[in-house]
Amino acid sequence: MRALKTAILSAALALGIAGAAQAAEGVHIPKQDWPHSGIFGTIDKASAQRGFQIYKEVCSACHSMRLVPIRTLAGIGYNEEELKAIAASYEVQAGPNDQGEMFMRPGLASDRFPSPFPNDQAARVANNGALPPDLSLMAKARVGGEDYVYAFLTGFEEAPADVHLMPGMNYNKVFPGHQVGMPNILQPDGVTFADGTKATVEQQAHDVATFLTFAAEPHLDARKQMGVKVVLFLIVLAGLMYAVKRKLWSTLH
Amino acid sequence: MAQAQASKFKNPVVNWIDSRLPIFTMLDHEYNHYPMPRNVNYLWAFGAIAGIMLVIMIATGLFLAMQYSSHTSLAFDSVERIMRDVNYGWLMRYVHANGASMFFIAVYIHMFRGLYYGSYKAPREILWILGVIIFLVMMGTAFMGYVLPWGQMSFWGATVITNLFSAFPIVGDPIVTLLWGGFSVDNPTLNRFFALHFLLPFVLLGLVILHTAALHVCGSNNPLGIDAKGPQDTVPFNPYVTIKDGFAVVIFLIIYAIFVFFMPNYMGHPDNYIPANPLVTPAHIVPEWYFLPFYAMLRAIPDKLGGVLAMFGSIALLAFLPWLDRSKVRSCKFRPVYRQFFWILAIDALVLGYAGAMPAEGAWLIIARIGTFYYFFHFLVLLPVLGKLERPRPLPTSIAESVLKGGGGIAAGAHAKPMEKA
């Protein structure tokens, strides 16, 4: 067993290197307490629905979410009728028809979220040269994940006196380089939640981060639930294997 | 008149096949009766674990390949489609991506076990060299696999690593053009990397079979490093080692499953969830963790060609280990001085790994340089000199005597049904 311990210890040390690779970059992002973190954590559906509302009313004016089909929202508690209604609120380009022309039709649940701009160049022109990044994977594509999303959305402040902001740029304390094209978009009561939750900036940032976590990893709940079963099964199997091993080897001594 | 070989199997179908193609006799011989030193510890399970990892990687990789598109305009989105829309696609991808890391953990432990117990020494030189070749092919396979999702780190990692070959005079640039299939990392590069990433695991499988064949000629080493002299020193592979390895495999799978299901992106880099963009360079280009010690050596040498030679040399060096180590004693147990240096080398490898993850400047660059120097110093100077100067402790006369402290029965053969005796 000592050898096994050594092996596990070496593996742990090797993994420490992986952690170091990430620690090497960026500013410190404070950890938030998420209902979906931990082994048994699941996505807070009410929060994710509020986050979706903010995405729809605020973020999606500039940001695309091109990899996410609208039907994915079933995972945060919308039923089929609601999904159809959400999809129909978007206009989607389809075609060509019999005349060879493209046309617009109401969205279907199987469509992906339409992007606000036809291409990156159009997005830059409309945004002072800055390209609003796609949000499909935002919660996995930054060091810190959803903690970063929260810290970024609540991180806008007045630039310190010694910082000279370039024209059209805004100061954010966690953004790399601190100068960001995106303005401080979340305002207190900027949205009105259907469930009566008070829309503070922190609440909105929390909800958006929860929604983006879900959008980046729609199978998060299923993954963890399967993981609990798999690990429990393997622990029982290991126990049985060890018992058989002990019994078998006992005849050798 | 040709005659079929006699076969001892009772099942008529097995007997018929075996007398014409003796695969059952071969398997029975190599995996049932194969004598394993009775004192091997759990570190000997990592060969089996690495073998299981190769099978898991090939199996999951096959299903991923059915859904993946190796075109620059589709690759990133097709991976996301696997993650979102393909049934259990997320499971296949996370098992495969984390599997690469777990495969390397298993192989690194397997290699350090070989270093500690002197498993590379005569008559196991070819066995060891095959292992070094397996390690090299594995690194190539892992590198090309990391390029396939076509994220930012995929693209920039591919750019940095393929550019290394341009350091070689004359042949360098043609090699790089050949690797790229053009004049930059682009669609032809991705396509050929996918083809090679599919091919190389089967090359690995062939090499693993050779590795095992070479192992079965001279038998497994053991913690004492002395040869097994007879049945009192060994146990039949099945059932004794199958159950022991099986237990170790399950423990390993538990750790693996924890990564796959609860922290699947811990060992990856967030930048690889950003689609590749040739116009935007990431702040730090970092390879996967298992390449970091070699990456540190590459950057430690101020000269490009020198860095590349140091990096490749650090692996090529391992192939010469059987002749660099002049000591006749295999196991570190009986080499009091070398044992200290073994642990210093292990720490050196970890320090190099850490330095490889840090920006190559200031103190980290100096640490990487010291670490690189020590790595070569260990193999090129310490090992040959220690073999001459060190006075090893006396070796036990036999495995059975050392392990059983006098007495103890001979292990029951596979046919004796050992379970009935308990």
Side-chain angles (χ1 to χ4, degrees), chain A residues 5-248:
Chain A
K5 269 186 211 150
T6 320
I8 291 170
L9 200 70
S10 337
L13 278 170
L15 294 173
I17 295 177
Q22 289 165 2
E25 17 198 283
V27 289
H28 175 69
I29 309 290
K31 285 230 176 288
Q32 304 296 322
D33 195 17
W34 301 103
H36 59 256
S37 51
I39 293 171
F40 300 104
T42 50
I43 294 282
D44 177 352
K45 289 181 181 170
S47 171
Q49 289 198 4
R50 291 194 297 271
F52 168 62
Q53 184 189 343
I54 301 164
Y55 162 75
K56 194 167 189 273
E57 293 176 12
V58 183
C59 318
S60 66
C62 301
H63 291 277
S64 60
M65 202 158 64
R66 62 181 187 89
L67 296 167
V68 184
I70 297 170
R71 60 179 153 76
T72 309
L73 297 180
I76 52 172
Y78 291 106
N79 63 32
E80 205 172 325
E81 292 310 310
E82 288 168 321
L83 286 180
K84 280 182 183 162
I86 290 168
S89 69
Y90 291 100
E91 283 275 288
V92 187
Q93 194 186 44
N97 61 13
D98 292 350
Q99 314 302 312
E101 284 156 5
M102 305 301 279
F103 58 94
M104 300 303 281
R105 62 157 170 79
L108 299 170
S110 56
D111 287 322
R112 286 157 196 238
F113 283 102
S115 301
F117 302 104
N119 51 55
D120 286 359
Q121 286 76 0
R124 282 188 191 277
V125 165
N127 288 286
N128 193 26
L131 176 66
D134 185 80
L135 295 183
S136 314
L137 287 161
M138 187 49 69
K140 292 203 286 191
R142 295 292 182 274
V143 177
E146 58 269 50
D147 293 321
Y148 172 82
V149 174
Y150 180 87
F152 174 80
L153 289 174
T154 56
F156 288 93
E157 48 186 39
E158 279 296 311
D162 57 335
V163 173
H164 178 70
L165 283 180
M166 288 186 291
M169 299 298 261
N170 304 283
Y171 187 85
N172 187 298
K173 62 184 175 189
V174 299
F175 190 75
H178 299 302
Q179 300 204 31
V180 59
M182 177 175 151
N184 184 12
I185 200 77
L186 295 183
Q187 301 303 327
D189 296 317
V191 289
T192 309
F193 290 130
D195 62 4
T197 307
K198 187 158 169 48
T200 62
V201 170
E202 287 76 15
Q203 181 67 45
Q204 292 180 58
H206 175 91
D207 292 343
V208 168
T210 302
F211 173 66
L212 290 183
T213 304
F214 168 75
E217 189 86 16
H219 299 294
L220 185 141
D221 291 357
R223 163 160 65 75
K224 287 186 179 177
Q225 282 155 12
M226 185 191 284
V228 171
K229 289 179 207 156
V230 168
V231 171
L232 280 179
F233 167 79
L234 287 174
I235 288 173
V236 172
L237 182 62
L240 288 173
M241 299 276 272
Y242 190 61
V244 175
K245 190 258 163 193
R246 285 292 295 254
K247 178 136 176 133
L248 209 50

Side-chain angles (χ1 to χ4, degrees), chain A residues 22 66 215 217 219 223 252, chain B residues 38 77 84 94 261 266:
Chain A
Q22 289 165 2
R66 62 181 187 89
E217 189 86 16
H219 299 294
R223 163 160 65 75
L252 292 181
Chain B
R38 64 193 302 155
D77 290 8
R84 291 161 189 276
Y94 278 155
F261 292 105
Y266 180 76

